[in-house]
Every structure is written in C-alpha cells, then in structure tokens.
Amino acid sequence: MNDRIRVPEVRLVGPNGEQVGIVPIAKALELARESDLDLVEVAPTARPPVAKLMDYGKFKYESAMKAREARKNQAHTIIKEIKLRPKIDPHDYETKKGHVVRFLKAGDKVKVTIMFRGREQSRPELGFRLLQRLADDVDDLGFVESRPKQDGRNMIMVLGPHKKKAEAKAEAKAERDAADAERDAADA
C-alpha cells in the first residue's frame, strides 16, 4: 500500500475501475495523493504488478461488513446426542424418540448412543435392534448417516436430517408467523 510498494512501475487501475496503463510508481503515488486516495497493490504476482487507486479504509470496512453478513447467514450444523439403554421402557423410548424427532425437525444431526453395562455387553444385538427400530421410526425426518457400530461399552449411530438447517429455520419461522397471525385474528 502507498509507499510500501517496492517496484519500479505498476499497471494502474483508476478509482472507477478504468485502466490507466503502465506507469512509474512515483507518478502512481502522485495521482493517488491528488485524488486523496490510497495506492493499493491488488495483484502483486502479475508482471508488472497491478495497483488500484481506492480508499483503503472504506474498502477494509466494507469487506469486514460483507464477511460479517456471510457469517450471520450461515447455519451451523450441531450434533445432538441421545443416550439409551438396551432395556429401555416403552414410554421412555417414546420420550427419547420425541427428542430425536424434534432435533431432526430443527435440522440438527443426532448421535444415538446405547450404553451397555455388565452382562448387557454380551448381547449387542439388543442394542442393534433398538437402533434399527429408532431409525425406522424417524425414517421420514432423517436418514442413517453412519451405521450402528460397537465402541467399547457403547454402540453408536448417527442420524442426519433430510432438510438442511437453513430450510428448517425458515420453515419454523413461517409456522411461528402463521401462528402469530392466527392469534392476532382471534384477538380481533
């Protein structure tokens, strides 16, 4: 930038993107001072290097704002975890399945862990059957991302949602807006 550019001549681009041509560095710096802008090297590997006349502070600010907007609109995929036991009560199973359904509807991945204790470790097929049953029950909302596999005392399976996090957020917002409109209509 400005005096830090150490080449004899540059290909100069004007403030509005117009080509000025190949000029000595002293003339380019003089043009930058006259127009009260900075001389910024944009392509240092080109022959000769390309420099542009621009307001560097404004450029940095705008690029930071664009990066911030991009980060704000990103959807982070979160892995939620549910832990089960092989001898789970039917009502408890339904409760845990409800949590898995809620997570998948929100667009999150779900890691289902079955913990084996004592003699249960000699019967891994019970855990495998339970995981298969859960995968079949939530088949309309998600898919099996990684098959059930034994990991020491635990058996692990990962379920992924059919719809992306951003789609799920948009759908949930639309449902909330519809419910708010319905409530406002009922109040009126």
Side-chain angles (χ1 to χ4, degrees):
M1 187 173 112
N2 292 337
D3 295 325
R4 294 190 194 137
I5 300 174
R6 299 272 181 238
V7 290
E9 57 185 20
V10 292
R11 182 179 303 272
L12 189 62
V13 178
N16 299 324
E18 72 277 358
Q19 294 286 332
V20 177
I22 297 173
V23 295
I25 192 71
K27 185 173 183 217
L29 286 169
E30 186 182 313
L31 286 170
R33 280 192 204 97
E34 284 174 10
S35 56
D36 198 29
L37 294 171
D38 297 311
L39 182 67
V40 181
E41 197 173 48
V42 291
T45 57
R47 288 287 158 241
V50 179
K52 184 174 181 180
L53 295 173
M54 67 169 74
D55 184 351
Y56 189 66
K58 182 179 176 184
F59 170 73
K60 277 187 72 171
Y61 173 77
E62 287 174 352
S63 63
M65 286 297 112
K66 283 181 189 171
R68 191 173 180 191
E69 277 298 313
R71 272 198 310 276
K72 190 168 78 172
N73 294 333
Q74 272 182 343
H76 300 290
T77 304
I78 301 169
I79 296 184
K80 304 282 190 171
E81 185 171 10
I82 293 287
K83 292 189 175 189
L84 306 169
R85 297 284 314 281
K87 297 178 185 170
I88 190 168
D89 184 64
H91 180 266
D92 294 337
Y93 171 79
E94 291 300 321
T95 303
K96 297 284 187 172
K97 184 179 87 172
H99 294 312
V100 171
V101 166
R102 188 178 76 225
F103 295 149
L104 290 174
K105 277 185 179 174
D108 295 321
K109 291 182 180 183
V110 182
K111 177 181 174 184
V112 184
T113 305
I114 295 193
M115 301 172 295
F116 295 101
R117 290 205 311 223
R119 292 184 193 166
E120 294 172 349
Q121 291 178 36
S122 63
R123 302 284 306 277
E125 67 275 0
L126 292 175
F128 185 79
R129 262 190 264 143
L130 185 61
L131 289 175
Q132 284 302 122
R133 180 173 146 209
L134 181 65
D136 291 340
D137 288 348
V138 297
D139 193 34
D140 55 328
L141 296 170
F143 62 96
V144 177
E145 203 167 271
S146 77
R147 309 285 320 148
K149 57 180 169 266
Q150 190 81 29
D151 181 28
R153 293 175 168 223
N154 300 328
M155 185 174 279
I156 298 168
M157 174 178 75
V158 178
L159 297 169
H162 284 309
K163 55 185 165 190
K164 303 228 180 302
K165 182 83 171 178
E167 293 172 16
K169 268 187 171 177
E171 198 173 281
K173 186 180 180 332
E175 287 176 12
R176 263 197 316 272
D177 292 345
D180 288 347
E182 198 174 290
R183 194 175 334 105
D184 290 345
D187 290 344

